[in-house]
Amino acid sequence: MRLFLCLPLLAAIPGMAFARPLTFEAALQRARQDAPSLKAKALGAEAARSARGGAGALPDPTLGVGVESFPISGPLAFEPQRDDFTMARVGVSQDIPNLAKRHAQQARADSDIRAADAGTAVEARAVEVGTAMAWITLAYAERRLAALDDVLSRLERVVRTTPSAVASGNARPAQTLAGQQAIAAMQDRRSELVSNVARARATLTRWTGDLAPEIAGSIPDFPVDATGLRAGLDRHPTIQMIDAQARQADADVRLADAGRRSDFGVNLAYQRRDPRFGDYVSAGVTVSLPFFTRDRQNAGIAAAQASAGRVLAEREAARRALAADLDADIADHLMHHEQWMRAQGTLQPLAEQRVKLETASYGAGRASLVDIADAYAALADATLNTLDREALVAADGARLTLTYRSDAR
């Protein structure tokens, strides 16, 4: 019975709250599927495809209804039944833009689709990188917290021995305060790390939609292939999006150039008069006359060509910026890796050794609790510093690989 009473409550809780722990790849997959920004881009691309069907099509025909030659003065004024000129007219006209213009409109619609797809790829890359950084940040935030808890528990075990040391005369009563101060300082630091975990979890929620994300699995290792990343910059989504914009600009040039050609139109009308007189049928053709191309069409062509040149210049600027950012990020990655190796191979082992030596000296009565507290504080600093540097290396590898790789995977 209780189960049935709880069912409405369980149904009200979002399904994401029951989600399984997220591995790195699972987080990326969920972000690709559920990111609202990606859905918005996909709908924009769908809109561009839907609009393609009407590109280059003939405009809708026009229906005209009217009265012609209705007398308003003279002896037959307002008596149309007495003259043979007044007639009711019903006609249909159809404008026919020139073929070059219609083809240019189709090319512009095709380039709009490619630009929308390119924009989707750019957003997908941003979502992927953001999710990866959030997952790695959360993973290392939890590792930092666990590492500090380990050091804190070790220090607390030592501090708990101080009453017996004071009772035996091996430690002064004031030294117990140093241990308590060191524990309080570490607990302050722990509070900061707990906050960092919560912040990292909130960021991962933003990308995956999971209300309470829990991560699982190993932290991925991304070997950085600097040569391959540099070689693929021309196929980067940002560059491909600008290439799509360049095709849009080229289509605009073609569309403006087509304005120098004549458009056509046809019309057909039926004109009915008084039954005493005959009815008429009229048909005609219209042709636009682009005589003033210097002030109209040529000006539009020049503007479109300037826009196309601007897009090409922006492409080169974006290409150079990507290359510079890549080289700078690779340099930082090498620096971070060297610092991590130094911390892992030298600084943290030295801090561990200092704790062991000070603990031994304390047991022998040659060191005070202040020395022990300082050693553990230094160990906490070294441990967290090593994790900080490792986190930078892992984040660098993921960001470099995911950000700068080409779409040709």
Side-chain angles (χ1 to χ4, degrees), residues 1-90:
M1 182 66 180
R2 290 182 179 178
L3 176 60
F4 288 104
L5 292 175
C6 292
L7 285 178
L9 177 61
L10 294 175
I13 300 176
M16 292 180 183
F18 300 99
R20 295 179 180 177
L22 290 173
T23 64
F24 181 80
E25 286 298 332
L28 293 186
Q29 183 64 27
R30 180 171 297 182
R32 295 187 194 105
Q33 293 175 348
D34 297 337
S37 59
L38 273 179
K39 292 180 180 178
K41 291 292 184 180
L43 289 173
E46 183 62 28
R49 288 185 173 85
S50 298
R52 174 61 177 84
L58 293 177
D60 292 332
T62 302
L63 174 66
V65 178
V67 177
E68 297 183 0
S69 303
F70 186 86
I72 60 173
S73 64
L76 302 180
F78 301 104
E79 297 185 25
Q81 70 279 5
R82 295 179 54 193
D83 71 54
D84 58 353
F85 297 106
T86 301
M87 62 190 76
R89 183 179 183 277
V90 177

Side-chain angles (χ1 to χ4, degrees), residues 207-246:
W207 295 110
T208 63
D210 194 328
L211 297 181
E214 296 293 338
I215 62 174
S218 59
I219 297 174
D221 179 27
F222 287 92
V224 177
D225 179 11
T227 301
L229 293 176
R230 290 189 182 98
L233 285 181
D234 285 325
R235 298 185 300 278
H236 191 273
T238 299
I239 302 300
Q240 291 184 334
M241 182 177 68
I242 299 177
D243 288 341
Q245 292 171 349

Side-chain angles (χ1 to χ4, degrees), residues 41-199:
K41 291 292 184 180
L43 289 173
E46 183 62 28
R49 288 185 173 85
S50 298
R52 174 61 177 84
L58 293 177
D60 292 332
T62 302
L63 174 66
V65 178
V67 177
E68 297 183 0
S69 303
F70 186 86
I72 60 173
S73 64
L76 302 180
F78 301 104
E79 297 185 25
Q81 70 279 5
R82 295 179 54 193
D83 71 54
D84 58 353
F85 297 106
T86 301
M87 62 190 76
R89 183 179 183 277
V90 177
V92 177
S93 61
Q94 174 68 64
D95 293 329
I96 306 175
N98 67 73
L99 195 58
K101 183 179 294 184
R102 294 166 62 190
H103 287 169
Q105 291 170 347
Q106 293 170 345
R108 185 61 162 83
D110 290 336
S111 65
D112 288 344
I113 294 174
R114 286 191 289 267
D117 288 339
T120 302
V122 170
E123 183 61 26
R125 181 65 55 89
V127 168
E128 193 173 43
V129 173
T131 305
M133 294 299 98
W135 194 96
I136 291 173
T137 299
L138 178 56
Y140 278 100
E142 292 178 346
R143 283 193 176 189
R144 292 185 189 96
L145 182 59
L148 184 63
D149 282 342
D150 178 65
V151 176
L152 181 58
S153 65
R154 291 166 62 184
L155 177 59
E156 287 174 339
R157 286 196 298 269
V158 174
V159 172
R160 282 196 295 269
T161 67
T162 55
S164 60
V166 171
S168 64
N170 293 328
R172 300 190 308 274
Q175 291 181 358
T176 61
L177 302 179
Q180 294 173 5
Q181 288 172 335
I183 289 175
M186 281 196 189
Q187 288 174 340
D188 281 346
R189 197 163 188 179
R190 187 183 187 280
S191 297
E192 181 181 351
L193 294 181
V194 170
S195 174
N196 290 342
V197 170
R199 291 167 63 89

